[in-house]
Amino acid sequence: MIQIPFTQLRSWQDELRDAITDPAELLSHLELSTDLLEAAIQADALFGLKVPRPYLARIEKGNPLDPLLLQVLPQHQETQPQPGYSEDPLAEQQANPLPGLIHKYTHRVLLVLSGACAINCRYCFRRHFAYQENQLGKQQWLQILNYLRQHPEVDEVIFSGGDPLATPDTRLQRMIQDLEQIPHLERLRIHTRLPVVIPSRITPTLLSALSSTRLQSLIVLHINHPNEIDDGVRQASRLITQQNIPLLNQSVLLKGINDSVSVQKTLSKTLFAAGILPYYLFLFDPVVGAAHFDLPEVQAKDLAAKLQAELPGYLMPRLAVEIPGKASKTLLIPTYDTRNHPE
Ligand code: SF4
């Protein structure tokens, strides 16, 4: 039996239930001005506030520009018109042949296990996703298994969401057991932010399900700023890697949050020290309601070029963008912005 030293922590289900969803409570807890409240209430009506307390504890009190706060605080910009931004920036509706299944790339499919998240990130490209129409009941699950049997070119399944780890362990176990019966499936990938914001989500049952399946499993976390990595996250990461489950990170380049060389450099080094390999650094996906996080591609490439000069290759995340309809993610070459470097 896998031992977990989280017994002093509350269960992840209790943490989920106890997450802050009231803007007034958030501002009061963080000793922030009530001037922010009216806008927060308006933006909250468009996409609800949700912050679990283990994440809240990493936000600096009294600092309205805290980089973790800015990822979760509903703000007035979200309610402004944003021409050119889309509710479905990655055109996922066109790659959604069955409820709960997105098939964008030939050899892998993405399963939307849950519409729920432990935290609502304001920049989320799925903030308008049709979760209602993608619910996975028993019937839909059988349809998905059938689809996978009929697509021998698919060798990898990605559990996504929402957050797939919002799904109870017993259900995850059953799903994994069903998937491993399909001979051409080789790998199971989990994209999740839950162990970052509620580290006690890493349970013995989950680890056992992932380490005992014949499928090669790997976990991709979503961490955008080094301040998100505390002792709980380090502990959760250690438990995962102790099971020989590869642990990667993808982040999103967000204006005002992690768009500096120093933050990105610290992020890569802190991830690595916690046993997590930097994998992707994505350009912001142009979702309506989150335009204030957008950073021009030329600036992203310039930042990546400077970062590359500071880090060994294995700590350098791949700068990438998802372009709807392309056969894979598009890697961007880090290049200096010649407007800033005229020589
Ligand atoms: S945890 Fe992931 S899916 Fe959920 S709101 Fe944040 S970015 Fe979106």
Side-chain angles (χ1 to χ4, degrees):
M1 183 66 173
I2 297 162
Q3 298 295 318
I4 300 277
F6 279 136
T7 43
Q8 75 282 16
L9 299 182
R10 296 200 303 169
S11 76
W12 65 275
Q13 295 95 335
D14 282 347
E15 292 289 8
L16 268 187
R17 276 188 287 274
D18 196 28
I20 289 191
T21 55
D22 175 5
E25 187 183 355
L26 179 74
L27 296 180
S28 161
H29 182 94
L30 291 174
E31 299 167 9
L32 291 167
S33 166
T34 49
D35 292 351
L36 299 166
L37 185 57
E38 194 182 329
I41 290 172
Q42 285 177 14
D44 169 73
L46 299 176
F47 181 46
L49 165 79
K50 194 193 259 191
V51 192
R53 289 175 196 267
Y55 190 84
L56 186 73
R58 302 169 216 166
I59 299 176
E60 186 188 3
K61 288 190 176 175
N63 179 4
L65 298 179
D66 181 280
L68 276 54
L69 173 72
L70 294 177
Q71 295 183 53
V72 296
L73 177 67
Q75 300 209 59
H76 76 277
Q77 296 98 316
E78 299 180 39
T79 60
Q80 306 304 304
Q82 299 182 349
Y85 290 77
S86 165
E87 291 199 348
D88 182 16
L90 303 183
E92 291 189 320
Q93 273 180 22
Q94 294 162 31
N96 190 193
L98 289 174
L101 183 141
I102 297 176
H103 196 173
K104 290 192 266 197
Y105 303 136
T106 307
H107 300 292
R108 44 207 183 271
V109 297
L110 200 141
L111 304 186
V112 180
L113 259 54
S114 166
C117 291
I119 187 167
N120 282 350
C121 314
R122 309 313 298 176
Y123 49 81
C124 179
F125 72 84
R126 292 208 182 110
R127 57 183 279 165
H128 306 281
F129 189 79
Y131 287 115
Q132 276 300 107
E133 293 151 34
N134 278 280
Q135 287 187 12
L136 267 193
K138 193 172 174 195
Q139 192 58 35
Q140 291 81 6
W141 181 244
L142 292 176
Q143 284 177 348
I144 285 176
L145 292 174
N146 213 21
Y147 182 96
L148 289 170
R149 283 187 207 102
Q150 290 167 10
H151 285 78
E153 73 279 14
V154 174
D155 61 13
E156 179 168 0
V157 167
I158 302 169
F159 283 178
S160 183
D163 199 308
L165 291 189
T167 309
D169 284 341
T170 45
R171 185 157 190 236
L172 286 171
Q173 264 179 322
R174 283 197 301 272
M175 289 174 144
I176 294 170
Q177 284 160 3
D178 286 344
L179 291 172
E180 64 188 3
Q181 303 302 317
I182 300 177
H184 55 267
L185 293 182
E186 296 172 9
R187 293 179 306 284
L188 170 68
R189 193 187 331 170
I190 299 183
H191 281 189
T192 179
R193 191 149 161 73
L194 230 154
V196 178
V197 301
I198 304 179
S200 60
R201 178 62 190 91
I202 300 303
T203 61
T205 312
L206 175 65
L207 289 173
S208 159
L210 294 178
S211 56
S212 61
T213 172
R214 75 156 184 87
L215 300 170
Q216 290 174 281
S217 42
L218 67 151
I219 294 180
V220 182
L221 297 176
H222 175 182
I223 300 174
N224 296 315
H225 193 282
N227 293 4
E228 291 177 52
I229 303 171
D230 68 355
D231 284 345
V233 175
R234 278 186 269 273
Q235 180 66 49
S237 302
R238 201 170 308 127
L239 290 166
I240 294 167
T241 53
Q242 276 170 353
Q243 298 304 311
N244 295 322
I245 298 168
L247 187 59
L248 309 173
N249 183 63
Q250 57 185 22
S251 53
V252 187
L253 191 53
L254 299 166
K255 190 156 111 186
I257 291 175
N258 60 8
D259 57 336
S260 74
V261 175
S262 67
V263 167
Q264 286 293 335
K265 186 176 168 185
T266 308
L267 175 60
S268 277
K269 290 164 71 169
T270 313
L271 286 167
F272 188 69
I276 310 165
L277 273 178
Y279 173 36
Y280 273 131
L281 174 58
F282 283 115
L283 291 197
F284 168 81
D285 298 308
V287 63
V288 71
H292 52 294
F293 293 112
D294 203 354
L295 195 74
E297 184 174 318
V298 67
Q299 282 184 35
K301 288 177 168 175
D302 188 56
L303 186 152
K306 291 171 183 158
L307 187 62
Q308 193 162 260
E310 297 275 334
L311 289 173
Y314 61 92
L315 289 190
M316 182 69 198
R318 293 169 227 190
L319 183 67
V321 63
E322 183 166 337
I323 300 173
K326 288 253 185 181
S328 68
K329 304 277 190 294
T330 299
L331 296 182
L332 300 174
I333 314 265
T335 40
Y336 283 106
D337 180 357
T338 49
R339 291 172 311 182
N340 295 333
H341 310 274
E343 70 279 11

